[in-house]
Amino acid sequence: MKIKGTMQNKSCKKFFFTNIILFCLHILFCFPSYADWWHNNSFIMGGRPAGMGGAYTGIATGAAGIYYNPGGMGFSPDLQLSVSTTNYYTSTIKQQGYLSDSSTGFELGDADLLNGYFGGIFRLDTETPIFLAFAIYNKDYVNIDNVVASYSSDGKNKTRYVQKTSSTENEYAFGGAVRINPQWSIGASIAFFDIKYSEVQNANIVEGPFDDPDNPGNQLYTYEIWNYTSSFFVRGIEGGLGVAYKPNDYISFGLSGKYKFIMAQGADSTYVDNQVITNSNFVPLGPSSTYPFNQYLNKSTIKEDDRPFGKLPSMLRFGIALYPLEFQTITADIAYYSANQE
């Protein structure tokens, strides 16, 4: 009876302590979670990390640990495969009248492409737990397809602006981890990355009317079309190190860092501008020195750069995971990314 009473007291103390932790966390973090809504990557690698909003450094088991913390892979199951994907979506916002001007129209469209992640991990047949893993994933930074149009109430002043931007990073990664004792695991990863970015902008602008100095009573318009294209690529190798510490079954910690080594890169941009003078029927009049308006065709600017980046961002992550109750996990991450160096 004495032993049973002691066990009941310990159980009550554990339950009381767990509820105190949950209450404090609720008070401190009572704001809504947007599941990595505006992060460095709009796509979260791995199915389980996605359910935690990307806060996975303190756990990092499975093949997803290659990205979050290679050290956490030392606490993985002996064999595991993981597949996750993000569906394609489009959205369009239209508004009649903006900036206190009811004669204008506004349209904004956004589209995102299909992304995917596939990875696997297995344990070697050794006395010391050693794990090997692979992962193939696409990190979709942004895919934008915007159209902004405005016009005057008489229909004579019009502007139409189109922007198309895409930026993706594909990675092919391998990693390994060693559980050196029941509490500690260390790991490393290497990945081949391919970053591509492209942007196309187009604008059609009609302005006027203006008085024709050569023909009093007649009116002129300026019609301008400009196109801008820009793209760059960066390829290289990303190295990562990580460590995981799990002192007991109720808490674990993770720390990892990654650095990108550039092997090949390049960038180019082209800007072409056209502006002509038209009559009231929007028929081009051709060049003439008597018109007080600038007029030019195919005004081009081309720029190439074989070294757009001096250094890509490095990453440092720290995470903690709590397991207060069965089937319940609370995680938090702190991630630091250095700036690009051009």
Side-chain angles (χ1 to χ4, degrees), residues 67-310:
Y67 173 77
Y68 296 95
N69 176 15
M73 296 188 300
F75 295 103
S76 301
D78 291 349
L79 179 63
Q80 187 181 64
L81 291 175
S82 178
V83 179
S84 64
T85 185
T86 301
N87 293 328
Y88 177 84
Y89 81 90
T90 60
S91 65
T92 302
I93 300 174
K94 296 182 179 181
Q95 180 175 333
Q96 182 65 33
Y98 64 96
L99 299 178
S100 302
D101 186 354
S102 60
S103 65
T104 60
F106 174 85
E107 180 178 338
L108 173 63
D110 183 25
D112 205 345
L113 298 178
L114 181 72
N115 295 299
Y117 160 87
F118 174 69
I121 189 169
F122 63 94
R123 177 180 174 177
L124 297 179
D125 186 16
T126 57
E127 183 177 353
T128 301
I130 300 177
F131 295 82
L132 298 179
F134 72 93
I136 303 172
Y137 47 84
N138 170 260
K139 295 186 290 186
D140 175 25
Y141 288 161
V142 64
N143 286 280
I144 298 176
D145 189 353
N146 287 342
V147 177
V148 179
S150 64
Y151 47 86
S152 61
S153 57
D154 58 9
K156 295 181 178 179
N157 292 310
K158 299 179 181 180
T159 300
R160 179 179 173 84
Y161 172 74
V162 179
Q163 180 188 30
K164 297 181 183 294
T165 303
S166 65
S167 176
T168 60
E169 177 179 349
N170 297 309
E171 293 205 12
Y172 310 89
F174 303 89
V178 179
R179 192 194 311 161
I180 56 180
N181 60 48
Q183 290 80 35
W184 288 92
S185 174
I186 58 174
S189 65
I190 185 171
F192 302 92
F193 66 86
D194 181 14
I195 302 174
K196 296 179 181 179
Y197 174 89
S198 64
E199 180 179 17
V200 178
Q201 297 184 19
N202 174 269
N204 296 269
I205 304 170
V206 178
E207 295 181 345
F210 307 102
D211 291 333
D212 186 347
D214 291 342
N215 301 285
N218 293 334
Q219 296 177 325
L220 302 177
Y221 291 85
T222 61
Y223 181 59
E224 183 177 7
I225 303 176
W226 57 263
N227 294 275
Y228 168 79
T229 61
S230 177
S231 64
F232 70 79
F233 73 92
V234 187
R235 301 186 182 99
I237 298 176
E238 179 186 71
L241 295 173
V243 59
Y245 174 53
K246 193 172 183 180
N248 53 55
D249 293 335
Y250 307 106
I251 191 171
S252 61
F253 303 90
L255 178 66
S256 67
K258 287 194 171 183
Y259 185 85
K260 284 183 168 65
F261 300 89
I262 299 175
M263 300 179 64
Q265 59 176 320
D268 61 80
S269 60
T270 303
Y271 179 81
V272 180
D273 197 357
N274 295 273
Q275 180 171 288
V276 298
I277 308 298
T278 72
N279 59 21
S280 57
N281 295 319
F282 300 103
V283 176
L285 301 183
S288 176
S289 60
T290 60
Y291 297 139
F293 311 109
N294 292 328
Q295 187 169 200
Y296 43 82
L297 294 174
N298 297 323
K299 184 179 180 181
S300 301
T301 302
I302 301 175
K303 181 180 180 181
E304 295 183 355
D305 189 352
D306 59 356
R307 188 179 171 84
F309 297 101

Side-chain angles (χ1 to χ4, degrees), residues 46-67:
R48 189 181 181 193
M52 300 176 182
Y56 198 62
T57 307
I59 303 175
T61 59
I66 291 180
Y67 173 77

